[in-house]
């Protein structure tokens, strides 16, 4: 350094931030950073995002922020990040930091975990096994001797349907942004299976994409795919 001012950075008041250009000193906070989505804490700190918000970095120090959106929770957008930044391993091209980078998946605590370290293909294997067993059971059911009908079969079927509907409703509570304690956190993770969540298969590791649209489309297609399998079983039972 050639001067004392080059080593000592004068702190700014709250509502201002220190310019990267030393000669400009302290600059006022962007007009949109009014304490709702972002603010300027003062000192030598740059403008920062507040918990639960993603704020686009301005094009210059004199410009306003480019966008401001509310994130799905404060874990995806924690407080204190620089404008435009996302937490580690979250995709900064997603406007609300809502998906992980390629090669990472979101665990039960909403942290992005590396596929190479902790990924397990068990959910996909279980999905395939359960699907095969369901088809076998359905095939047996439609090809059974129906000369004698039992009311017990109808009772079991109706009870199973009611149970599935109840589990789906309970699983929906997991979407509420609450830091659930154990054992509720583990219970809601299991119940997520019954809400037909496509992200349980960890598409970021299996299909090399974390696109939210693909995950949503996968969830929507789960029931039609299941219905197609049922139709195939009935057709097979008709001609075998």
């Amino acid at each position: 350094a050639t001067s004392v001012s080059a080593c000592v950075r004068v702190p700014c008041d709250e509502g201002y931030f220190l310019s990267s250009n030393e000669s400009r000193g302290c600059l006022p906070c962007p007009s949109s950073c009014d304490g709702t989505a972002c603010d300027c804490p003062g000192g030598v700190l740059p403008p920062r995002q507040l918990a639960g918000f993603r704020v686009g970095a301005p094009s210059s120090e004199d410009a306003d922020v480019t966008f401001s959106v509310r994130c799905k929770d404060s874990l995806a957008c924690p407080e204190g990040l620089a404008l435009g930044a996302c937490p580690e391993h979250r995709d900064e091209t997603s406007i609300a930091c809502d998906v992980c980078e390629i090669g990472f998946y979101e665990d039960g605590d909403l942290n992005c975990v590396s596929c190479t370290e902790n990924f397990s293909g068990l959910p996909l294997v279980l999905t395939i096994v359960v699907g095969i067993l369901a088809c076998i059971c359905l095939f047996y059911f439609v090809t059974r001797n129906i000369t004698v009908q039992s009311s017990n079969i109808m009772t079991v079927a109706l009870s199973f349907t009611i149970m599935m509907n109840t589990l789906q409703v309970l699983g929906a509570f997991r979407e509420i942004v609450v830091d659930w304690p154990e054992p509720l956190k583990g219970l809601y993770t299991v119940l997520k299976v019954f809400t037909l969540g496509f992200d349980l298969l960890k598409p970021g590791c299996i299909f090399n994409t974390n696109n939210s649209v693909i995950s949503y489309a996968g969830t929507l297609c789960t029931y039609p795919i299941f219905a197609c399998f049922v139709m195939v079983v009935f057709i097979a039972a008709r001609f075998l």
Side-chain angles (χ1 to χ4, degrees):
T2 58
S3 64
V4 175
S5 60
C7 297
V8 179
R9 311 201 76 181
V10 179
C12 301
D13 295 331
E14 185 177 356
Y16 292 81
F17 68 96
L18 194 61
S19 172
S20 58
N21 186 343
E22 181 184 346
S23 63
R24 302 192 67 188
C26 295
L27 300 177
C29 205
S31 58
S32 296
C33 290
D34 56 0
T36 302
C38 57
D39 68 359
C40 293
V44 296
L45 297 175
R48 63 179 184 176
Q49 301 173 146
L50 297 182
F53 289 90
R54 172 92 187 281
V55 181
S59 57
S60 67
E61 291 184 331
D62 299 314
D64 198 5
V65 301
T66 52
F67 65 85
S68 177
V69 296
R70 184 183 293 275
C71 303
K72 61 181 179 180
D73 52 51
S74 58
L75 294 176
C77 298
E79 182 174 340
L81 294 177
L83 300 186
C86 287
E88 186 179 17
H89 302 312
R90 285 197 171 271
D91 188 1
E92 293 192 353
T93 62
S94 60
I95 192 170
C97 304
D98 54 344
V99 297
C100 298
E101 296 175 346
I102 299 300
F104 292 82
Y105 68 93
E106 193 173 81
D107 65 5
D109 295 323
L110 301 182
N111 297 316
C112 291
V113 182
S114 173
C115 296
T116 58
E117 296 178 2
N118 299 288
F119 173 67
S120 171
L122 184 60
L124 179 60
V125 173
L126 288 178
T127 301
I128 295 174
V129 171
V130 170
I132 293 174
L133 291 177
C135 289
I136 294 174
C137 292
L138 182 60
F139 181 83
Y140 172 77
F141 178 78
V142 298
T143 56
R144 76 193 190 284
N145 186 355
I146 59 175
T147 55
V148 178
Q149 292 286 349
S150 173
S151 61
N152 293 334
I153 296 178
M154 185 62 68
T155 301
V156 170
L158 291 175
S159 299
F160 179 76
T161 302
I162 295 173
M163 181 190 71
M164 288 294 295
N165 289 335
T166 303
L167 292 176
Q168 286 185 328
V169 171
L170 291 175
F173 280 99
R174 186 181 183 276
E175 302 303 321
I176 301 177
V177 182
V178 175
D179 187 14
W180 298 104
E182 293 292 354
L184 286 178
K185 180 183 292 186
L187 175 62
Y188 286 140
T189 300
V190 174
L191 291 179
K192 192 175 181 180
V193 175
F194 299 99
T195 61
L196 307 179
F198 183 73
D199 55 331
L200 281 176
L201 299 179
K202 302 179 176 58
C205 298
I206 298 176
F207 306 109
N208 201 35
T209 178
N210 281 319
N211 191 300
S212 300
V213 176
I214 294 178
S215 295
Y216 181 65
T219 300
L220 291 180
C221 291
T222 301
Y223 180 77
I225 290 173
F226 174 76
C228 289
F229 273 109
V230 172
M231 184 179 298
V232 169
V233 171
F234 272 91
I235 294 175
R238 173 66 177 81
F239 295 100
L240 293 180

